[in-house]
Amino acid sequence: MDATQVRFVTDGTEIGVRIADNPTSRDFISKLPLRLRFEEFAGKEKISYLPERLTTDGSPGSAPQNGNLIYYVPWGNLGFFYNADGGHDDNVITIGRVESGVEQLDRLERGEVTVEVVE
């Protein structure tokens, strides 16, 4: 699973993410392709709400890190951290890590974002 890559594409923007190997990330991959809308949250991350919750059983929490794609358990949302702070949080599950396009995260808010596995 560590070799799986996903791309987030919107209006001339493409962000590539290498997916982590845990039950939550595998569940996320199984739901692709998706079309999502992202919004700014708290000056720390870009978030989007999924159409349904992901499984979290067996997935470890993590500390927020810039460039991580995460699943926030209480709200059931995805988030890209760009101004992370704080320590380990059992409610923050890492889905993957941005490998390309991290400087384009602010463009995710421009419209609908297609999320798909890179074949």
Side-chain angles (χ1 to χ4, degrees), residues 63-70 80-82 84-85 97:
Q65 293 183 14
N66 291 340
N68 276 4
L69 171 65
I70 60 94
F80 280 104
F81 280 115
Y82 66 87
D85 64 3
R97 177 111 184 120

Side-chain angles (χ1 to χ4, degrees), residues 24-117:
T24 305
S25 61
R26 287 191 293 274
D27 192 25
F28 174 64
I29 292 296
S30 76
K31 296 180 183 337
L32 298 182
L34 288 171
R35 293 188 184 274
L36 302 171
R37 292 204 174 264
F38 282 82
E39 62 190 66
E40 170 61 36
F41 182 74
K44 298 178 185 298
E45 59 185 302
K46 304 295 182 183
I47 66 170
S48 180
Y49 295 93
L50 295 168
E52 58 186 80
R53 289 188 170 269
L54 301 177
T55 186
T56 57
D57 291 342
S59 293
S62 62
Q65 293 183 14
N66 291 340
N68 276 4
L69 171 65
I70 60 94
Y71 181 69
Y72 186 60
V73 178
W75 296 351
N77 68 280
L78 290 181
F80 280 104
F81 280 115
Y82 66 87
N83 191 20
D85 64 3
H88 181 88
D89 187 337
D90 287 336
N91 289 314
V92 174
I93 297 173
T94 299
I95 299 286
R97 177 111 184 120
V98 175
E99 289 198 321
S100 63
V102 72
E103 70 284 351
Q104 300 177 41
L105 287 175
D106 63 325
R107 298 182 188 166
L108 289 177
E109 297 173 69
R110 292 184 178 170
E112 193 170 68
V113 176
T114 300
V115 186
E116 58 194 5
V117 174

